[in-house]
Amino acid sequence: MDGPENTQSAAARASVDSKAGRGSSRDKSASAALASAVIIVGFVVYWVSEIDAVREMLKLAYG
Amino acid sequence: MPTALPFPRTVSTALLLALGVYFALSEIRIEWYASLRPFFEWMETTAFGRLGKSYGGAFALVQAMHLLSMAVLGGTVLVSDARLMGIVLKNVPINQVLEPCHRLFNCSLSLVVLSGVFMACGVAIKVYYLEVFWYKMLALAMGVLFAYFVRRPLLKPSAEAVPQRLRTLVGVASLMTWFTVAATGRWIGFSG
């Protein structure tokens, strides 16, 4: 049979687990936001520089 | 008792990204690039390399498989990311769209990598000197790391619980990565 102490410790454990779960989910969200932002900025810079290089070459070739 | 590092996943992601930027800007990259040349020479001498160089038909067949797998991979990425961004299949729960797409993504990615290795063996020295090949490899590595270590852990438990703004950000990043993989791949085909 569960006594009041056991019930209390189970509730405390559940609260700790819930806090840990929220922390882990916030961690996942923050890492996803960071990685996504860096990827987007990186690829925008890459494609802008590539398109500029092609425009430069076309200008050299055809004036 | 030592206290655990807060936000371990975010900290390791930031460290990995910083390491990548340092590698890209440092001399190590140039030394590493030069040291890879013998490996690419060896690739051309393997059975795959000889087969790819001697039999155009075999190369074309594997290339067709590579392109078809790439099309399937692109389809899974398009559907799942468009659903994430709330553009298509809005009345279907997100995880119901993501799960089958992820399984298909795994299969098509395996085929893309296997056929890609075969094709690279046939033209190893050519691709070694192509700058765009390295950009493709970088985009592929980023795409794989992003899909398995960022996107999947975030969305697997319940994608509905993730805020719409973050889902859109993740969807755009994923689309841009795989678009770059496909576009640089075509660029290799047109180069040299």
Side-chain angles (χ1 to χ4, degrees), chain A residues 26-36 38-40 43-44 46-47 50, chain B residues 7-10 13 135 142 146 150 153-154 166 169-170 176-177 180 184 187:
Chain A
R26 257 189 279 162
D27 187 18
K28 281 177 190 170
S29 298
S31 75
L34 175 71
S36 303
V38 170
I39 284 176
I40 292 170
F43 283 121
V44 165
Y46 171 70
W47 281 112
E50 287 296 342
Chain B
F7 290 86
R9 189 179 276 269
T10 311
T13 306
Y135 283 121
M142 283 193 88
F146 187 73
V150 177
L154 175 76
L166 183 58
L169 195 70
V170 169
M176 281 190 91
T177 313
T180 305
T184 47
W187 203 329

Side-chain angles (χ1 to χ4, degrees), chain A residues 4-24:
Chain A
E5 278 172 17
N6 280 351
T7 314
Q8 269 178 359
S9 70
R13 261 201 313 272
S15 160
V16 168
D17 285 352
S18 152
K19 271 184 197 164
R22 273 204 304 274
S24 152

Side-chain angles (χ1 to χ4, degrees), chain B residues 50-122:
Chain B
R50 286 199 302 271
L51 196 70
K53 272 201 290 193
S54 316
Y55 299 97
F59 190 87
L61 201 72
V62 176
Q63 191 172 35
M65 202 173 87
H66 187 72
L67 292 175
L68 282 172
S69 325
M70 204 62 203
V72 174
L73 188 140
T76 63
V77 169
L78 260 182
V79 171
S80 53
D81 287 336
R83 177 62 191 95
L84 265 186
M85 290 189 271
I87 298 170
V88 296
L89 301 166
K90 286 181 200 169
N91 51 348
V92 183
I94 301 177
N95 286 83
Q96 216 167 304
V97 176
L98 293 189
E99 283 308 310
C101 279
H102 186 72
R103 282 197 293 274
L104 207 53
F105 174 87
N106 290 339
C107 298
S108 52
L109 181 66
S110 314
L111 278 174
V112 162
V113 171
L114 284 175
S115 53
V117 168
F118 176 88
M119 286 163 61
C121 284

